[in-house]
Amino acid sequence: KQEVTQIPAALSVPEGENLVLNCSFTDSAIYNLQWFRQDPGKGLTSLLLIQSSQREQTSGRLNASLDKSSGRSTLYIAASQPGDSATYLCAVRPGQAGTALIFGKGTTLSVSS
Amino acid sequence: NAGVTQTPKFQVLKTGQSMTLQCAQDMNHNSMYWYRQDPGMGLRLIYYSASEGTTDKGEVPNGYNVSRLNKREFSLRLESAAPSQTSVYFCASSQGLAASYEQYFGPGTRLTVT
């Protein structure tokens, strides 16, 4: 059964720092991997989607990489800002039948000014 | 363009009561999903609809029913609510099931069953 783990569970950094959030998954047979942001009491906002054939995707200050063979993805945030404070969720879509996204429990990021 | 909308935003039910959570999307997406989010458990899929006219069970379907009313709307019904169904419910949609399609989420419905 596919499992997704995100470490650390919480992270505090000063404004301006570059940081990396980690996501690992147990089964390398995936269709895609998606990173989301969730603000307290709010829904999920899609940040980046990486298809299984891709190695990375970039959007603004965000860069996500995917290493399927090792079961890992990283989300790199450059020049962090207080507005980046949120919970970041990683989700994989398994390669076998079924369309459920399997979510990690998230990393809660706090960026202080 | 509102994306994915959900009603109601909050609801309190007593054990045994029934209710329907509504979801609508205006992105002309074919596929729609219902997830629940519980502390320490992450998000889990309840039901999904790959296209209009089809529905399938997800990881945690017990106690729920769904209806794909048309291409835009996908509702989730709790026939006899139980305290274990206290959760935040999210509806999502995507263009289809292909790997290139992102899932877009609504703002959620916070349900408490007493």
Side-chain angles (χ1 to χ4, degrees):
Chain A
K1 179 183 174 183
Q2 178 74 268
E3 293 182 0
V4 179
T5 303
Q6 293 185 248
I7 295 173
L11 181 64
S12 294
V13 300
E15 182 176 7
E17 192 161 300
N18 303 324
L19 59 101
V20 174
L21 306 180
N22 296 296
C23 172
S24 61
F25 46 96
T26 54
D27 188 341
S28 62
I30 63 170
Y31 275 151
N32 61 36
L33 183 146
Q34 201 166 346
W35 282 94
F36 295 89
R37 167 187 173 139
Q38 186 175 28
D39 293 286
K42 304 292 185 183
L44 282 68
T45 300
S46 178
L47 297 173
L48 290 164
L49 178 142
I50 310 177
Q51 297 180 60
S52 62
S53 58
Q54 298 174 325
R55 294 300 300 265
E56 66 176 349
Q57 285 288 333
T58 298
S59 176
R61 295 183 293 109
L62 305 180
N63 176 278
S65 68
L66 174 64
D67 184 342
K68 248 188 11 167
S69 60
S70 68
R72 293 182 182 182
S73 176
T74 61
L75 179 67
Y76 175 83
I77 302 177
S80 59
Q81 303 170 358
D84 294 330
S85 298
T87 296
Y88 290 81
L89 297 166
C90 165
V92 301
R93 188 160 152 231
Q96 69 271 24
T99 63
L101 283 175
I102 308 297
F103 282 83
K105 294 178 182 177
T107 294
T108 298
L109 173 65
S110 176
V111 181
S112 56
S113 57
Chain B
N1 188 337
V4 180
T5 57
Q6 294 182 235
T7 56
K9 287 186 169 53
F10 301 92
Q11 184 71 48
V12 178
L13 290 178
K14 294 184 178 178
T15 297
Q17 288 185 320
S18 62
M19 78 161 296
T20 300
L21 282 64
Q22 306 286 353
C23 173
Q25 51 90 10
D26 62 2
M27 296 175 281
N28 201 34
H29 284 172
N30 292 302
S31 303
M32 298 184 73
Y33 315 80
W34 277 105
Y35 291 88
R36 60 178 287 174
Q37 184 176 34
D38 302 293
M41 298 292 293
L43 281 95
R44 294 175 293 170
L45 184 70
I46 305 171
Y47 271 93
Y48 71 98
S49 171
S51 60
E52 187 178 356
T54 69
T55 61
D56 283 287
K57 295 178 180 179
E59 183 183 355
V60 288
N62 292 343
Y64 305 96
N65 286 301
V66 291
S67 295
R68 184 74 183 267
L69 303 170
N70 47 56
K71 191 172 185 179
R72 288 187 63 247
E73 299 172 289
F74 189 38
S75 63
L76 178 72
R77 182 160 178 84
L78 286 70
E79 291 291 352
S80 179
S84 61
Q85 294 179 304
T86 293
S87 187
V88 182
Y89 291 86
F90 289 101
C91 178
S93 71
S94 65
Q95 182 63 40
L97 301 183
S100 58
Y101 296 138
E102 295 174 74
Q103 290 190 20
Y104 295 89
F105 282 71
T109 293
R110 282 147 186 83
L111 175 66
T112 301
V113 183
T114 62

